[in-house]
Amino acid sequence: MKFNDVEDLKQKFNDSVCAVAIETVQGEGGIQLVSREFLETARALTAGSGALLLIDEIQSGLGRTGEWFAYQHYDVKPDVVTIAKPVAGGLALGAVLTTNEAASCLKPGMHGSTFGGGPLACAVACTVIDQIEKRKLVKSNRELGKYFVKKLEGLKKKHACIKEVRGLGLMVAAELDSADLAKAMVPAMLERGVVINRTHETALRFLPPYTIGKKHIDEVVKALDVTLKQLEKAYSKTEAQASPEGELIAQGSTH
Amino acid sequence: MKLAEAKQKEAQLLLPTYDRVPLLLERGKGVYLYDSEGRKYLDFITGIGVNALGYGDPAVLKTIAKQSARLIHSSNLFYHEFTTQLAERLTRISGLDRVFLSNSGTEAWEGALKIARAYAKKTAAAELSRSGASSPWKTPSMAERMGRSRPPARQSIARCMRRFFLELNL
């Protein structure tokens, strides 16, 4: 199904669908935000048929986007949410969050894990959430994200090779017009002492720690400016573009 | 260990699944990473969105030290105090009601897909018994299919789901 194509969703949805799964902000897909209309349509369709709305917040959850969960930017309540990455401060921990209604189908023995939810990972996860709250990092992520996007928009005016800047909180990407240029940017930025990565062929992805300040954003934007200036001429602007289409099914590649 | 040695040994010993950035990381502090050459990097990828509080956060380190000394692993055969402490926090910030704890996002999705399947099966069964005749699931649904034939144990949930989505042209 085409990401954010409401008509496609309406056409393909029917009573035999047991669930619709959506990544609110596609991480590996190059930081693509689900549209309000698409998410609301998915909610309405699933609610109407008794199917479940499953939301992937593995990369976007736990405050990164400037809300605790990216779906909270929309007026939509999911039935099931998956989280993982930042939950336990670097220890392995993931979780499925559900409504009472969705959970009513489970009985003991239907699902389990030997390591999942161990005392060390859970204790650390409590500390991580408490620290995010105590230091008001969700709100600061929202503000830092706006500042970062504004700075990148400024850079876009200077560099024609930047096609688009996307972001929600500290989940940010700069889409370049060449996959080869994007690929070359990663080691070139390392040379300047900045770690970033490339996703979806043409997107430079930024997932900084919540603890950065504006000076770190300035430093990265400056390094991007210098590096782009150095490299952009060597890459033509007529590279084959990566497909903007995402997939609605869950992708486990970096989970 | 130096980068060249790590590269050479990994090429020999690990499955060739990763195309790594040529850095051998040794430590992190705050928002910076340090490699084996002592070079410092501003980290704008955080291990793919994991190290939200940066490196060496004092509160995190304190909890790791304290809890490691007390109990690292217990399995889900037993209770420990932190499952509910964490679940209370997660339900409060998400507005949802319940939590299943796994080790990774992939496993979280395994749980989510299992719930989708089990929930459809439950509601389809309830609907069938209410209406007597017609099911709300007008084409063979995952619920009905799974109800009809249990997949072989070695067939993964993901594979079942993929086949299901494929059949629905999703």
Side-chain angles (χ1 to χ4, degrees), chain A residues 5-164:
Chain A
D5 186 334
V6 175
E7 286 315 308
D8 197 38
L9 173 65
K10 281 182 183 165
Q11 202 194 332
K12 284 175 182 160
F13 187 87
N14 61 47
D15 283 355
S16 73
V17 175
C18 72
V20 173
I22 298 176
E23 195 176 358
T24 336
V25 184
Q26 290 191 334
E28 301 309 303
I31 317 295
Q32 301 281 357
L33 279 66
V34 70
S35 72
R36 185 170 294 277
E37 195 191 358
F38 192 82
L39 193 58
E40 285 175 358
T41 304
R43 177 68 284 181
L45 288 171
T46 47
S49 77
L52 298 179
L53 178 62
L54 319 178
I55 295 288
D56 185 329
E57 292 273 351
I58 287 166
Q59 216 166 104
S60 56
L62 274 293
R64 176 161 293 280
T65 68
E67 290 285 353
W68 276 111
F69 299 93
Y71 65 80
Q72 291 164 340
H73 290 281
Y74 305 77
D75 298 320
V76 162
K77 192 189 169 192
D79 301 299
V80 176
V81 172
T82 55
I83 62 168
K85 295 188 189 291
V87 186
L91 299 182
L93 185 69
V96 193
L97 317 181
T98 77
T99 58
N100 279 326
E101 172 61 20
S104 66
C105 62
L106 292 177
K107 292 186 190 74
M110 280 175 77
H111 198 46
S113 168
T114 297
F115 291 106
L120 178 59
C122 286
V124 174
C126 290
T127 298
V128 168
I129 293 171
D130 291 348
Q131 285 298 311
I132 293 172
E133 277 192 315
K134 193 176 153 198
R135 291 148 72 175
K136 298 185 170 53
L137 296 176
V138 179
K139 186 165 172 265
S140 87
N141 283 356
R142 197 180 315 155
E143 286 155 10
L144 287 165
K146 278 182 193 159
Y147 180 78
F148 194 7
V149 167
K150 203 178 95 188
K151 284 275 172 178
L152 288 173
E153 288 289 355
L155 208 58
K156 180 171 169 260
K157 287 187 186 118
K158 285 173 72 179
H159 300 276
C161 60
I162 303 179
K163 278 173 61 187
E164 193 183 23

Side-chain angles (χ1 to χ4, degrees), chain B residues 11-105:
Chain B
Q12 224 177 330
L13 296 166
L14 301 196
L15 299 190
T17 53
Y18 300 112
D19 183 16
R20 299 192 200 278
V21 173
L23 285 190
L24 180 63
L25 295 179
E26 279 187 345
R27 64 190 179 92
K29 180 78 188 153
V31 298
Y32 295 99
L33 283 167
Y34 296 83
D35 74 1
S36 53
E37 308 292 314
R39 280 178 303 207
K40 177 179 165 185
Y41 300 90
L42 177 54
D43 179 20
F44 261 47
I45 202 62
T46 53
I48 318 183
V50 170
N51 304 308
L53 298 177
Y55 301 94
D57 181 80
V60 169
L61 294 185
K62 194 175 157 195
T63 303
I64 291 175
K66 190 176 153 196
Q67 188 54 38
S68 307
R70 291 185 70 196
L71 186 66
I72 293 174
H73 172 73
S74 59
S75 88
N76 285 297
L77 293 172
F78 307 101
Y79 290 95
H80 65 77
E81 62 188 304
F82 298 105
T83 51
T84 47
Q85 287 189 24
L86 177 56
E88 276 170 356
R89 285 165 174 79
L90 291 174
T91 52
R92 174 168 52 79
I93 63 177
S94 68
L96 291 160
D97 306 314
R98 286 172 182 271
V99 174
F100 175 85
L101 298 164
S102 65
N103 299 292
S104 66

